[in-house]
Amino acid sequence: MDNYTFPGYLWHRLPIILIFVNSYLVYRILVSTQLTHVFVQKALLKSHGDIKKILLYILVSGAVLSFFIPNAVTVLILLPILKQIDQQKNSDHTPKITTALALSAIYGANIGGMGSLVGSPANLILIGALDLLGGEQRIPITFLNWFLWSIPLVVLFLSCAYAVLRFFTIPSGIKRWECQVDEHEQLSHRQKKALRLFLSFILFWSLHSLCQHCFIFYERYQSVISIFFIVFFFISVFLSPSVLPLKQLVRGGPIRGLMVMMIFVCFMVLVRCLKLDHWGADQLNSILPDNTPPVVLVFWITSISILLTEFLSNTIVSTAMFPIVYQTGLINHINPILL
């Protein structure tokens, strides 16, 4: 960041900001056209009443949706379908699976939230924090290379979550759950257009990431190209047939979320100016053994983060920890991005 003036830095980082703007618009489109409901219903129809498959499809559906829409919204999308499944056995003596259904949605939404760069607003703060603390120490983070480590991690956690659901939440004696999920009609023109826009979002930003890695000259033009795509995307959204009413876009604006993010950014700058990150790193290192191996240090950082998130919001904890673990990484000669 030291190599840029503030306007120059914003221009340099404009593509990553536009990714989050674009992802918000995609989220509103998916919810407005109910493509998310269609996706979940089609997944559940493949279960054919097998309770194990039902839980698996809910788990995976929640994870996939949370790649691009907020976790809480994902759970709200799944709730009506879960209620429909659960109430179909309300009149007989078969044990209910309310707990298993609810946990499958919650596990899937939370695990999927870390599956993509746009899955959490804290990721945007992370990139800004790394720039503020020292961009030369940073491995470039892009829309595409985030998937390279996150997808295997998400698959691992989904496997663990499914094992918990499979062996600990299904009541004994249930082998098959004959449930009926309303089959969705064929996609409307609005939904087909929304699907095309969603695919164009994935394709463009993936190609954008590839070009960043493969072509040195691309960095000079990346902001202009990103602006052209966003303009094209906005025009396509509101051209007939419009896939998102303008009222929904305005009313659904994340004003509160943006204010919270601004507070976190100011907090990061304050910590940097007062050198509280150095003090925090020194305090952390004082309780660690000498010559701490990287694996042990990662274990400590992870344990502290888990403990703090039992009492505080994930975003607050991660934002407060960014500068401390960055300095800790430098002191212990470990790439800060790992921490």
Side-chain angles (χ1 to χ4, degrees), residues 138-146 148 205-219 222:
R138 171 178 65 79
I139 297 174
I141 297 175
T142 67
F143 181 77
L144 186 59
N145 71 9
W146 187 281
L148 299 181
W205 292 113
S206 297
L207 290 175
H208 168 82
S209 302
L210 279 176
C211 291
Q212 283 180 312
H213 284 286
C214 299
F215 305 110
I216 298 176
F217 67 88
Y218 182 78
E219 184 176 357
Q222 61 174 347

Side-chain angles (χ1 to χ4, degrees), residues 79-328:
L79 276 180
I81 298 176
L82 303 187
K83 186 176 181 181
Q84 178 186 347
I85 295 172
D86 194 47
Q87 287 184 339
Q88 287 182 23
K89 287 294 180 181
N90 203 26
S91 58
D92 58 29
H93 300 288
T94 305
K96 295 179 72 63
I97 57 168
T98 306
T99 300
L101 291 171
L103 286 178
S104 62
I106 294 170
Y107 286 166
N110 280 279
I111 293 170
M114 61 183 172
S116 74
L117 177 63
V118 296
S120 169
N123 297 336
L124 185 58
I125 300 175
L126 164 65
I127 294 171
L130 290 171
D131 287 337
L132 178 66
L133 296 168
E136 72 282 357
Q137 299 288 339
R138 171 178 65 79
I139 297 174
I141 297 175
T142 67
F143 181 77
L144 186 59
N145 71 9
W146 187 281
F147 286 117
L148 299 181
W149 68 263
S150 67
I151 296 298
L153 190 63
V154 167
V155 171
L156 173 63
F157 278 117
L158 286 178
S159 301
C160 295
Y162 180 67
V164 171
L165 294 170
R166 167 71 176 78
F167 295 107
F168 297 103
T169 66
I170 300 178
S172 58
I174 293 183
K175 295 182 179 179
R176 191 171 183 81
W177 188 279
E178 296 295 342
C179 63
Q180 297 293 327
V181 179
D182 294 337
E183 187 167 0
H184 202 278
E185 298 178 358
Q186 290 187 342
L187 296 180
S188 65
H189 291 300
R190 285 184 69 237
Q191 289 174 328
K192 289 179 180 178
K193 182 179 178 180
L195 182 59
R196 289 195 297 268
L197 287 170
F198 173 72
L199 294 176
S200 70
F201 161 75
I202 299 294
L203 180 61
F204 174 80
W205 292 113
S206 297
L207 290 175
H208 168 82
S209 302
L210 279 176
C211 291
Q212 283 180 312
H213 284 286
C214 299
F215 305 110
I216 298 176
F217 67 88
Y218 182 78
E219 184 176 357
R220 186 183 305 172
Y221 306 103
Q222 61 174 347
S223 295
V224 174
I225 295 172
S226 300
I227 291 174
F228 272 111
F229 176 74
I230 288 296
V231 171
F232 159 77
F233 198 92
F234 266 86
I235 293 174
S236 299
V237 166
F238 297 107
L239 279 179
S240 180
S242 172
V243 295
L244 180 65
L246 188 58
K247 288 184 179 180
Q248 289 192 19
L249 179 63
V250 175
R251 290 178 181 176
I255 304 300
R256 186 176 177 181
L258 289 174
M259 292 178 61
V260 171
M261 285 188 64
M262 289 301 298
I263 293 173
F264 287 145
V265 169
C266 293
F267 170 79
M268 290 290 305
V269 174
L270 182 64
V271 167
R272 182 63 170 169
C273 293
L274 298 178
K275 296 189 175 181
L276 295 177
D277 51 341
H278 294 268
W279 178 83
D282 290 338
Q283 296 302 311
L284 180 60
N285 275 282
S286 68
I287 65 174
L288 297 175
D290 294 333
N291 300 318
T292 306
V295 173
V296 176
L297 188 56
V298 169
F299 175 79
W300 271 89
I301 297 296
T302 305
S303 301
I304 292 171
S305 299
I306 291 173
L307 178 63
L308 291 175
T309 52
E310 294 299 319
F311 310 100
L312 301 169
S313 128
N314 294 354
T315 306
I316 291 176
V317 172
S318 58
T319 304
M321 292 287 284
F322 285 155
I324 295 174
V325 299
Y326 183 88
Q327 292 300 327
T328 302

